[in-house]
Structure formats: structure tokens, C-alpha cells
Amino acid sequence: MLRLLPGADERGIDGRADDVEILNSIARSYGVGDKLQVKIDSTAPTLTSAHHEKIMVIDGEVGFCGGLDLSNGKWDTSAHDYESQLRDANAEPWHDVHAMVRGPVVRDLAYHFWQRWSYADTRDRRAAMAAVKLPAGRERAGTVPVVALRTWKEMDRNGSIKAWYGEMFQKAKVGIYIENQFPFQSRSLTKLLAKRLTEEPGLKVVIVGPMEPNLPGLVGSMLSKMSVNDVNKNLADLRRLSGGRVATYSLISQHRTMPTMRKQVYVHSKIMIVDDQWMTIGSANLDRNGTDDSSEFNLGITSADLAAKTRVRLWQEHTGGRVPRSSLAGFSDGFDAWKRLARANGVRASGNKPIIGSVYFYNFEEEGLPPPYPEARGGNRFALL
């Protein structure tokens, strides 16, 4: 299912309604109409909200959940090469995180899918609740506790994704790592984290987002710029309040043979890791749509082993393997390593030298550093027109 919005033609989904009907017609003509069906849900509570989750369930046994859309331009390798011939034409370097799960939580993904599928037809909450079809329970319980989280105003007015973030902020004592497309556009979540920073003077936070968050089309572009201005204000407030304990970064891809040629790695992932104990992976951005209005699906995972390994793996990727693992294993040491590398990269960029890894300050002007590439706008206010 998908929702068509202004700018759909620029996102490659204009005309999908016709394509969907052709696909369904072909399926019926081959007698498999009950086995292959596609629906479009074009409604949502607000103009900017959408059916935004990215989940898949296979045979009721394997589930996928995260930030990755199954559409053009979203595939990449973890190297995020400047000019990869494997990416779709005109696609930019792309960073995303997705999880594959087995066990009882797969039934939660299936449960949500059938509710969403039914509601797309009926717009009836009770009918959607009654229409749930779950596969026979053949799964084995695993060793990692996982809970299903969602935002869906029509079914659950108090979304569990927002509640999970609030609860995790309240538990945090050492370190929070966040990757998000629109980090802290939500003022309510900004206030929750600010409160925790005042309560825990040793708490440190690393936030990674795109240098230039964007939505295509005139309407989408204007809405995106408004959201980015909120992001910039809220991130600046967090940095100022924390006295240097909140650091904000973007990821940069650099040409292998022409090091002064750089562009952003588009950060589209939606992941948070807290104290190397808890993490959430899913579709929800930290904006009002992700926490209040769009339909979203996340996983909440409790595992010290998995959380720590995931954080260190991502940090090694972003630092280009040039920072020793021992310097990244502890959150505080890694926090300092990120800052040193980002500052060194700013100095290297000012001298037209190649940067190391992908790490660059999102708020580069505030840090007194040059833009990583001429068009970079991270941390700066956008004009709406």
C-alpha cells in the first residue's frame, strides 16, 4: 500500500494507481487474484502524514522492519561510494538500517498488517480489529526480547513509538546514539531529552542526520524546509543546554581520486541505541508525522550484546575504519573520537585535503569550519521560497 501525495511524479509513483489495477487484473486473469493483491490507501489524518511504515512478513515466520523503502534510488552499500555504478541512475549515496526478525514478534507484524489492510478498505476501526488473520504459531521464542511499536492515530491515539522514546530517554544514563532523517523536529521529544540531560550530567548524545533533508516537489520542498528549520532550532537548543554533551553530525561521501569533490550521504535510517542496552529500529522519523500522525512501525529491542555490536558496527562504518575499535567500544571514548575526527575533517576540508571516513559536523558553521561541499546547508535556516 502507498499514499499518493503532491510531488508523486517526482518520486516515481505518479500513475501507480493504474499500474496497480493492471497488476490486480493480470492476477485475476491467471486465477491467482486471491494470492496477489495490491492496494493504495490515499487517506491520512493530515496533509503531510502518510502510510509510512516499511515492513514485510514472509510465511508468517520471517519479518522485516526498518527505514528502507523498496523503491528506486534507495539501495546502496555500506561504503556509500561517491560514484557507484551499482546504484540506480542519479541516485545519491544512501544510508539506511533494516532489521530481520524471527520468533513471536513476527505475529505482531502480521497482526498490524492485516489491520492496516482491512482499514484501507473499510475506514472502520471495529472492522479492522475483527479482520485480523494470523498464521498458525510455529515460531520458537528467541533469546532477545522484542516488542512491536507503532504510530497509528486512527487505531491507537497514544502511539507506542513516542512512548518508547520517552521511556528510553528516562532510562538513559551514559549515552544515546540516534540516526534519523528529521531528528528532533518534534518539540515534545526535544523537551523530554532536554529534561533528561539536566537530570543526568554525565549523559552524552550523538545525533546523525542528513546534511540536507529533502522532499521532492514544490509542496514537499516547502514542507521539508519548514521541518528542517524546526530541526535546526531544536538541535541548537539541545547543544546549548547540554554544554557540549550533544553532538550533531552528517555523513559525507568523497570521490576516490578527486578528494575535493564531495556530497552528502542521505541519512534515511531511523534507529536509536540507549546505554548499549536498548534500541529501536523502524520507519518513524522524530517529527510530528512519525510520532503522531503517520502510520509507522518500529521494533523495540532489549539486548546489551546486540545494541553494543550494532552501535560499534555503525560507528566503524561512519569513521571509515580509521578509529580503533577500542576507542569506539565505550560510549564516552567514542563520543570524543567522533568529535576529534569531525574537527580534523573540517581542517582537512579547509585545506582541500581528503577527509577521513564520512563524519562531518552538521553544525559546521557553528564549529567555525567550512562546508564539506559548496551547497551544504546543515544547521542553517532555509528560506521557504
Side-chain angles (χ1 to χ4, degrees):
M1 294 187 296
L2 69 155
R3 182 186 181 206
L4 300 182
L5 288 168
D9 54 333
E10 298 188 31
R11 303 180 72 181
I13 59 176
D14 187 39
R16 284 266 185 98
D18 293 337
D19 294 340
V20 165
E21 181 50 39
I22 291 172
L23 182 61
N24 286 331
S25 176
I26 293 173
R28 289 191 297 269
S29 70
Y30 279 89
V32 294
D34 59 333
K35 295 181 173 61
L36 176 61
Q37 299 178 46
V38 183
K39 293 182 183 179
I40 290 181
D41 184 355
S42 61
T43 63
T46 66
L47 173 65
T48 61
S49 59
H51 170 65
H52 193 247
E53 64 235 35
K54 302 96 167 53
I55 65 173
M56 182 184 298
V57 179
I58 299 175
D59 290 345
E61 297 184 3
V62 180
F64 295 86
C65 176
L68 187 65
D69 295 304
L70 299 181
S71 60
N72 289 341
K74 306 302 176 67
W75 178 91
D76 203 358
T77 69
S78 58
H80 306 309
D81 291 336
Y82 185 92
E83 292 289 356
S84 172
Q85 299 301 311
L86 299 177
R87 285 198 297 266
D88 293 322
N90 302 317
E92 60 188 328
W94 196 269
H95 177 69
D96 232 319
V97 176
H98 224 75
M100 182 181 78
V101 292
R102 295 179 182 271
V105 73
V106 177
R107 292 172 66 83
D108 293 316
L109 271 73
Y111 179 86
H112 172 75
F113 170 80
W114 282 113
Q115 283 192 338
R116 195 68 182 81
W117 183 264
S118 174
Y119 193 81
D121 270 345
T122 65
R123 320 310 301 173
D124 186 300
R125 185 177 184 277
R126 290 186 178 182
M129 293 287 289
V132 172
K133 304 174 184 178
L134 290 177
R138 293 176 291 175
E139 68 281 339
R140 295 181 180 179
T143 58
V144 176
V146 183
V147 297
L149 309 167
R150 71 181 180 183
T151 301
W152 189 9
K153 180 176 285 187
E154 291 97 331
M155 296 292 286
D156 303 314
R157 294 194 179 278
N158 299 314
S160 54
I161 293 176
K162 189 174 187 178
W164 174 271
Y165 271 94
E167 182 179 349
M168 292 302 106
F169 290 162
Q170 191 58 37
K171 287 184 176 182
K173 295 179 179 297
V174 178
I176 300 175
Y177 177 62
I178 291 172
E179 294 179 1
N180 205 269
Q181 184 184 10
F182 290 100
F184 293 95
Q185 191 264 347
S186 166
R187 189 63 184 173
S188 61
L189 286 182
T190 304
K191 290 180 178 179
L192 289 175
L193 180 56
K195 179 176 181 292
R196 191 55 177 170
L197 285 163
T198 61
E199 295 169 345
E200 287 290 340
L203 178 63
K204 296 181 178 180
V205 183
V206 174
I207 301 171
V208 180
M211 184 67 71
E212 300 168 82
N214 62 75
L215 293 172
L218 176 62
V219 174
S221 177
M222 292 179 64
L223 293 172
S224 180
K225 288 176 180 178
M226 292 171 64
S227 295
V228 174
N229 287 340
D230 290 340
V231 167
N232 291 341
K233 179 185 183 305
N234 292 336
L235 291 181
D237 287 348
L238 289 172
R239 289 193 301 268
R240 184 169 51 251
L241 170 72
S242 68
R245 291 181 291 128
V246 173
T248 54
Y249 302 96
S250 290
L251 304 179
I252 304 301
S253 179
Q254 181 175 253
H255 198 285
R256 290 188 177 185
T257 59
M258 292 177 282
T260 58
M261 292 182 60
R262 305 184 191 97
K263 55 188 173 184
Q264 74 167 336
V265 176
Y266 196 89
V267 178
H268 191 258
S269 48
K270 303 94 169 54
I271 181 171
M272 179 174 74
I273 301 173
V274 177
D275 288 356
D276 285 350
Q277 298 284 330
W278 305 279
M279 66 178 177
T280 183
I281 300 172
S283 66
N285 289 314
L286 296 182
D287 59 5
R288 287 183 290 272
N289 285 334
T291 60
D292 296 312
D293 295 324
S294 292
S295 62
E296 310 276 6
F297 202 93
N298 277 37
L299 299 173
I301 303 167
T302 301
S303 169
D305 180 63
L306 187 58
K309 285 181 178 178
T310 301
R311 178 183 63 78
V312 172
R313 176 182 174 184
L314 289 168
W315 284 19
Q316 286 184 308
E317 175 185 319
H318 300 332
T319 58
R322 300 290 292 275
V323 177
R325 185 182 178 88
S326 58
S327 298
L328 299 177
F331 194 97
S332 185
D333 289 344
F335 180 91
D336 294 339
W338 272 71
K339 277 198 170 182
R340 288 193 299 270
L341 182 58
R343 177 143 307 270
N345 280 341
V347 172
R348 296 176 76 85
S350 65
N352 293 323
K353 296 180 180 179
I355 64 172
I356 298 171
S358 303
V359 174
Y360 209 88
F361 281 114
Y362 175 72
N363 52 316
F364 56 84
E365 278 197 340
E366 185 180 289
E367 295 287 337
L369 297 172
Y373 53 91
E375 305 83 18
R377 293 294 304 273
N380 297 317
R381 186 169 183 82
F382 281 79
L384 295 184
L385 295 174

